[in-house]
Amino acid sequence: MKFKTSLLIATLLASVPCFADYTYQVSTSVYSDGTLLASPTMLVEADKEASIKLGTDFSYFLTLKPNKDETVDVITAVTVGDRTITPSLTVANGKEATIKIGSQTLTLLVNKVGS
């Protein structure tokens, strides 16, 4: 009985897509008062935090959580000088999304590049 139960569980787990293996290219533009501050592009693994720091005035943290419908939940923290914004949004694979908070604008383009 234990063998059948283990076999059933293994079969169910193998049939579920493994999002954690997905890799994405994320192209970002960060604007403050209409001025482009940074436009990093990075490869990000699903469910793992990625980050970029430029000097002492700019840092960008990002985590992607894939959904079954070809969208990705994006959790970010962007620090410019002494101000940090922490937008979370859902973006469609291959479509640019923009979010504006006060004088800061963040654009994201997420493309799945591997699994």
Side-chain angles (χ1 to χ4, degrees), residues 11 38 83:
T11 302
R83 182 162 180 192

Side-chain angles (χ1 to χ4, degrees), residues 40-115:
T41 298
M42 62 181 120
L43 291 178
V44 179
E45 288 184 53
D47 298 316
K48 293 186 180 178
E49 185 177 74
S51 65
I52 291 178
K53 290 186 179 189
L54 302 173
T56 58
D57 291 337
F58 179 82
S59 65
Y60 178 50
F61 295 87
L62 171 76
T63 304
L64 302 177
K65 299 198 175 284
N67 299 310
K68 293 179 183 178
D69 63 354
E70 291 299 312
T71 63
V72 180
D73 293 332
V74 181
I75 302 151
T76 65
V78 179
T79 301
V80 178
D82 61 351
R83 182 162 180 192
T84 299
I85 59 172
T86 55
S88 295
L89 60 151
T90 300
V91 298
N93 189 36
K95 303 220 180 205
E96 187 174 80
T98 301
I99 188 165
K100 184 169 180 147
I101 300 175
S103 65
Q104 296 184 336
T105 304
L106 176 68
T107 63
L108 293 165
L109 177 62
V110 178
N111 290 298
K112 185 167 38 170
V113 294
S115 58

Side-chain angles (χ1 to χ4, degrees), residues 12-28:
L12 289 173
L13 289 175
S15 67
V16 176
C18 184
F19 292 133
D21 292 336
Y22 289 167
T23 302
Y24 296 86
Q25 178 178 319
V26 180
S27 301
T28 306

